[in-house]
Amino acid sequence: MDLLNTLVEKGLRRELPTRDEALAVLATSDDDLLDVVAAAGKVRRHWFGRRVKLNYLVNLKSGLCPEDCSYCSQRLGSEAGILKYTWLKPDQASDAAAAGVAGGAKRVCLVASGRGPTDRDVARVSETIKAIKENNEGVEVCACLGLLSDGQAERLREAGADAYNHNLNTSEATYGEITTTHTYADRVDTVNKAHAAGLSACSGLIAGMGETDEDLVDVVFSLRELDPDSVPVNFLIPFEGTPLGKEWNLTPQRCLRILAMTRFVCPDVEVRIAGGREVHLRTMQPLALHLANSIFLGDYLTSEGQAGKADLEMIADAGFEVEGTDQVTLPEHRASAGCGSGGGGGCGSEGDGVCGSAPAAPAGEPRTDLVAVRRRGAGTDLAPNA
């Protein structure tokens, strides 16, 4: 297929595809799907080999968010039966992080619900970052705390943070349809603040919210322009009790096309399969490793992922290897550009994620049986999944 040959050549040169080419990837047929995966896989392997970076989420503060993001189980007015708790203490967060590191995670992502941190919150998270760094040699830490005020990114960097995550989520044209309590421009501003502070910027998207192909291409092209080190791709988990609770728009095939398009547009960037892979990719998850070079290990913010051991077995069975702490994630030209630690990464988990162990449902029907609220790990007395 001429389109795919062209996209591979452009990806190896780090050349931006045209919008029409990106749209054409999303429009390919199921008959062509394996060809699309193989082509994008060539670009992925050129820049990242067969390494898979593992990341582990710690939800520092769960629920009770004043923002109205339609996709989020922690939003204002959410009726989803999630865990709700206030800030974990630094030693509690460090213990939770240690479980992920022991499971093979190279990066720990610290997430807190809310519009954005107060200066007191930044001080609290700074202590947590220091505790995690002291107790886990070589670990990278990414913070995801919402909208940043002036000077806060610099303080997180001084405390030892390597990266900051803040997702664009969807296109600028449709952003107001999913959130009204802040703007798309607010999100761009926070990503730019992270960049300016020397943090490795991470920003991604959520697919499956009813967006068009044009919206998906718009947001990925906007991300390319922002130039983050990491682009997490979330697949919406339609939590009951949220405005998007009935939005089941994704198939495994569409998820693969979205990941392939993202790889072609962002060839040398860490592309992470984030929340929702177990729900929407299901048994096609191993194929997605040919497109993305990073995943979350174990559970997500408010929902359960597949067992950490199953993640490791999947990676090995698919012929990939877990990236070690002594390996640099990003290609040399990006790692030497002075963006944070050069490790890439980010905490694109707002779509949440779940355990994929239930019997299969007929094709095209919503898989509500796969949406399992997290009841273990941070904020509970039960051992985490890692």
Side-chain angles (χ1 to χ4, degrees):
M1 184 185 289
D2 289 342
L3 167 68
L4 297 179
N5 291 334
T6 297
L7 288 170
V8 170
E9 291 172 3
K10 287 186 173 183
L12 300 185
R13 296 194 302 262
R14 291 187 288 143
E15 183 179 336
L16 182 66
T18 66
R19 285 182 53 83
D20 286 345
E21 287 168 343
L23 286 167
V25 173
L26 297 178
T28 52
S29 70
D30 287 350
D31 288 342
D32 293 326
L33 182 61
L34 288 181
D35 292 332
V36 172
V37 172
K42 290 180 181 178
V43 179
R44 180 252 200 265
R45 288 191 299 277
H46 176 80
W47 296 112
F48 299 97
R50 288 189 167 271
R51 292 175 285 116
V52 178
K53 183 173 182 177
L54 298 181
N55 311 268
Y56 190 70
L57 282 166
V58 177
N59 195 356
L60 296 177
K61 180 168 71 78
S62 182
L64 306 175
C65 182
E67 301 297 284
D68 67 355
C69 306
S70 300
Y71 51 80
C72 187
S73 60
Q74 303 183 78
R75 74 186 297 272
L76 177 70
S78 171
E79 297 179 0
I82 62 169
L83 290 170
K84 296 181 177 66
Y85 53 86
T86 191
W87 291 94
L88 297 181
K89 296 179 180 178
D91 60 333
Q92 293 174 313
S94 181
D95 288 346
V101 174
K106 179 177 179 177
R107 169 162 290 188
V108 173
C109 304
L110 302 176
V111 188
S113 62
R115 178 180 177 83
T118 64
D119 287 342
R120 181 181 179 185
D121 294 335
V122 171
R124 189 196 322 262
V125 174
S126 294
E127 291 303 310
T128 298
I129 293 169
K130 293 174 184 176
I132 290 172
K133 292 269 188 172
E134 288 174 0
N135 295 327
N136 300 278
E137 184 177 357
V139 72
E140 299 172 0
V141 176
C142 177
C144 179
L145 311 174
L147 301 173
L148 292 175
S149 301
D150 290 345
Q152 291 183 329
E154 287 78 4
R155 290 175 60 191
L156 291 169
R157 177 69 170 150
E158 290 169 3
D162 299 286
Y164 196 84
N165 165 256
H166 201 61
N167 293 332
L168 296 187
N169 290 329
T170 192
S171 69
E172 183 174 12
T174 59
Y175 194 83
E177 297 175 14
I178 64 165
T179 304
T180 66
T181 47
H182 61 265
T183 67
Y184 180 92
D186 290 332
R187 287 188 170 265
V188 171
D189 178 65
T190 285
V191 177
N192 286 332
K193 281 184 168 69
H195 258 313
L199 291 166
S200 178
C202 167
S203 189
L205 64 140
I206 304 175
M209 298 189 290
E211 69 282 337
T212 65
D213 285 359
E214 288 76 11
D215 290 322
L216 288 170
V217 170
D218 281 349
V219 68
V220 176
F221 269 59
S222 294
L223 289 165
R224 165 84 181 227
E225 185 175 352
L226 274 179
D227 196 31
D229 287 331
S230 174
V231 174
V233 179
N234 295 276
F235 302 112
L236 175 74
I237 301 303
F239 266 93
E240 291 187 17
T242 65
L244 297 183
K246 298 186 183 301
E247 292 288 335
W248 289 84
N249 302 309
L250 298 171
T251 64
Q253 292 81 5
R254 180 157 176 81
C255 292
L256 290 171
R257 291 187 190 95
I258 292 168
L259 288 168
M261 184 269 289
T262 303
R263 173 57 70 198
F264 286 130
V265 176
C266 304
D268 60 337
V269 168
E270 179 188 347
V271 175
R272 176 175 306 172
I273 317 170
R277 64 179 166 92
E278 297 90 341
V279 177
H280 296 296
L281 281 163
R282 301 191 287 277
T283 57
M284 302 286 269
Q285 289 181 68
L287 268 184
L289 295 177
H290 291 272
L291 309 169
N293 61 297
S294 181
I295 65 171
F296 282 107
L297 177 73
D299 291 337
Y300 299 87
L301 295 178
T302 61
S303 54
E304 295 182 354
Q306 69 185 23
K309 181 181 178 182
D311 287 336
L312 298 176
E313 290 175 347
M314 175 182 71
I315 291 168
D317 288 348
F320 293 88
E321 61 183 27
V322 173
E323 184 173 293
T325 56
D326 59 337
Q327 294 175 296
V328 177
T329 301
L330 295 175
E332 184 177 356
H333 65 274
R334 292 193 68 92
S336 61
C339 296
S341 67
C347 312
S349 55
E350 292 166 292
D352 296 310
V354 296
C355 179
S357 59
E365 291 191 9
R367 292 300 305 272
T368 54
D369 56 299
L370 295 183
V371 181
V373 173
R374 180 174 68 83
R375 300 296 185 199
R376 59 194 176 195
T380 78
D381 294 327
L382 299 179
N385 171 28

